[in-house]
Amino acid sequence: MADPIQRPQARPVGDAPSGAVSAEVKCCAEVATFEGSPAASKVYGLDPKTCLAPSDADTYWASGSVSGSVPSDRMTRDGARWASVGVGMETELEISFDDASAAGCIANSTFHMEPAHIASIETATVSSKRAIFRIKGQTEGDATLVVRCNGVDTGWFHVACLTQQLVTIETGSVITRRTKSVSYDVAAMKAYFDKVYRQAIIKIDIVDLGDIDLRGHPGIATLDVAESFYYDPLDPSGGMSIFNPEGRAAGGAAGHFGEVVLPIIDAMMGPLKKNRQRLLRYVPAAPYVSARNGVVPRIGEGPGVVFKEYPDADTGHNVLCHEYGHIKGLVHPEVSGTDQLPQHLTDSCNQPVPAYAGTNTEMASPASPADPIVMALDPLNLMGYWPVIADQTPLRRDQWMKLRE
């Protein structure tokens, strides 16, 4: 018969454990990297070039696992991306974990914005090896999003949070006895400008001035007759010497347009209001053809002018965006001594260009011979001279800042 009395268990042998209780060690995904979202409308600026690592071995993910911590200097060349976001606006990135990472460990990653007040983290957890990651801008400044597990930083990207700026561009066709009216789509121009300049959190409005007819203006009529002077900038041969920048007497387009035509237009149209610029079309009629795409006689001030029509609308819009960059003070990449691009990019001018695979935010580009006006490390930069003009849309972190001055 069973004993109805429940007997006490034997007393454990040995002393009770002492000392602090250690936290549970969780498994961790090894490395987290970031690119722009595959949904273009969800991305503002995504810059993989400012912190471009000198070699694959210098990337923070080179060894397949990260055992250190995010660097204090956000310009460290470790492969980290820069992302822009507007105050009160959300941007999306695509987070990817190393292929060797165990899927069940990814959810143990935590996300930290440092400093926390610059932007908020809208994606609390991630459980798949590739996922959308969202942040929202809170106040102007720079920050770093850090992925962390068991006290180890396993990935990061940097954030530039900026207040959205609103800019108006006035555009139109300048008509003389030698230049013609050209057609353009204002809505398509605005959409393209917004696509490019959203990288710097700048929103563009376009005001159409229509045809600016100078044929009867007394300041133009006399010059119209002197074709050898008036048309030095518009040569049917397309020779580059016609744009000698040394002045009008040498056939300088900047001198002619800046000193003669623009003052007349300014007098006709009135002074520009705050946060407005003029970007005009000054396209020669047949048989004349301009050798240059456009010019901004006074870099950093404007106005600007383009001299050509293009059968491809995106190419034409890109040329306009490039010239607007000059109006806002951006210079070509081969210009030394500026703070608009990191030196490792500008130093790569006149070096052989490697092939680049396309990403969610940038076009693929083939290998190309060295060119003094193309950055081998950033061939598609908006302010460069890549042969496929429409592919030149990216801007980099310091260019974002220059555009906003």
Side-chain angles (χ1 to χ4, degrees):
M1 182 176 180
D3 187 347
I5 301 174
Q6 186 175 15
R7 300 180 184 279
Q9 296 179 352
R11 183 176 179 178
V13 177
D15 297 328
S18 61
V21 177
S22 61
E24 178 188 358
V25 176
K26 301 175 181 179
C27 67
C28 292
E30 291 183 336
V31 174
T33 56
F34 293 88
E35 292 294 347
S37 169
S41 63
K42 303 291 186 179
V43 183
Y44 291 92
L46 195 287
D47 170 15
K49 301 292 189 177
T50 290
C51 295
L52 184 70
S55 70
D56 290 343
D58 296 302
T59 61
Y60 72 72
W61 59 85
S63 63
S65 63
V66 179
S67 57
S69 59
V70 64
S72 58
D73 182 0
R74 294 191 178 95
M75 294 301 175
T76 298
R77 294 182 60 192
D78 60 1
R81 277 42 176 161
W82 275 91
S84 65
V85 64
V87 174
M89 302 160 69
E90 285 190 6
T91 190
E92 284 188 0
L93 287 86
E94 184 177 68
I95 185 171
S96 298
F97 288 91
D98 186 270
D99 287 340
S101 299
C105 299
I106 291 172
N108 293 330
S109 298
T110 58
F111 304 100
H112 309 265
M113 190 68 69
E114 300 177 353
H117 69 283
I118 298 296
S120 58
I121 300 166
E122 302 299 302
T123 300
T125 61
V126 172
S127 58
S128 58
K129 289 189 176 183
R130 180 171 293 181
I132 294 300
F133 191 88
R134 295 181 296 114
I135 62 171
K136 184 175 182 179
Q138 298 297 332
T139 189
E140 283 207 340
D142 291 344
T144 301
L145 184 286
V146 186
V147 187
R148 190 167 289 146
C149 187
N150 287 336
V152 175
D153 299 340
T154 60
W156 50 84
F157 68 88
H158 306 303
V159 180
C161 185
L162 306 166
T163 302
Q164 187 179 62
Q165 293 184 351
L166 303 177
V167 175
T168 299
I169 297 173
E170 298 179 353
T171 192
S173 292
V174 180
I175 305 175
T176 70
R177 290 198 300 137
R178 304 294 195 272
T179 59
K180 63 182 182 179
S181 174
V182 296
S183 61
Y184 48 87
D185 185 330
V186 173
M189 179 181 171
K190 172 180 166 49
Y192 197 94
F193 266 73
D194 278 336
K195 179 181 75 171
V196 171
Y197 285 102
R198 68 186 277 119
Q199 297 175 81
I201 317 298
I202 296 173
K203 188 174 179 61
I204 304 291
D205 191 23
I206 306 292
V207 172
D208 186 12
L209 302 177
D211 289 342
I212 303 171
D213 194 340
L214 304 184
R215 285 173 292 187
H217 194 283
I220 288 291
T222 303
L223 295 176
D224 252 359
V225 176
E227 184 172 322
S228 61
F229 165 77
Y230 186 73
Y231 254 93
D232 276 344
L234 304 167
D235 189 291
S237 70
M240 295 301 287
S241 63
I242 60 177
F243 278 91
N244 185 325
E246 294 177 358
R248 264 190 327 195
H256 169 72
F257 196 83
E259 294 174 19
V260 179
V261 179
L262 284 181
I264 292 172
I265 294 172
D266 289 345
M268 290 178 62
M269 309 305 299
L272 284 167
K273 299 177 182 177
K274 185 178 180 180
N275 292 330
R276 286 201 175 206
Q277 291 290 351
R278 288 194 182 121
L279 188 53
L280 305 171
R281 294 161 170 85
Y282 189 64
V283 180
Y288 296 101
V289 177
S290 173
R292 292 279 183 95
N293 294 329
V295 68
V296 175
R298 298 182 294 273
I299 299 293
E301 297 181 34
V305 59
V306 295
F307 297 114
K308 290 183 178 180
E309 285 184 287
Y310 298 88
D312 169 44
D314 280 354
T315 298
H317 293 145
N318 192 282
V319 171
L320 288 161
C321 280
H322 177 103
E323 299 306 331
Y324 181 71
H326 286 317
I327 290 174
K328 296 298 292 181
L330 295 187
V331 297
H332 294 147
E334 77 278 10
V335 176
S336 61
T338 73
D339 57 358
Q340 299 177 17
L341 288 165
Q343 189 170 350
H344 63 270
L345 297 185
T346 56
D347 283 351
S348 72
C349 285
N350 208 24
Q351 296 178 8
V353 180
Y356 290 97
T359 68
N360 291 341
T361 56
E362 299 190 15
M363 300 289 291
S365 56
S368 178
D371 189 317
I373 56 177
V374 172
M375 292 182 289
L377 297 182
D378 192 11
L380 300 186
N381 194 282
L382 176 69
M383 301 312 296
Y385 297 89
W386 189 244
V388 185
I389 293 174
D391 290 351
Q392 295 185 146
T393 57
L395 291 162
R396 307 308 174 194
R397 189 263 182 199
D398 288 343
Q399 290 176 312
W400 304 342
M401 301 306 170
K402 180 64 178 179
L403 287 163
R404 300 173 56 82
E405 291 180 356

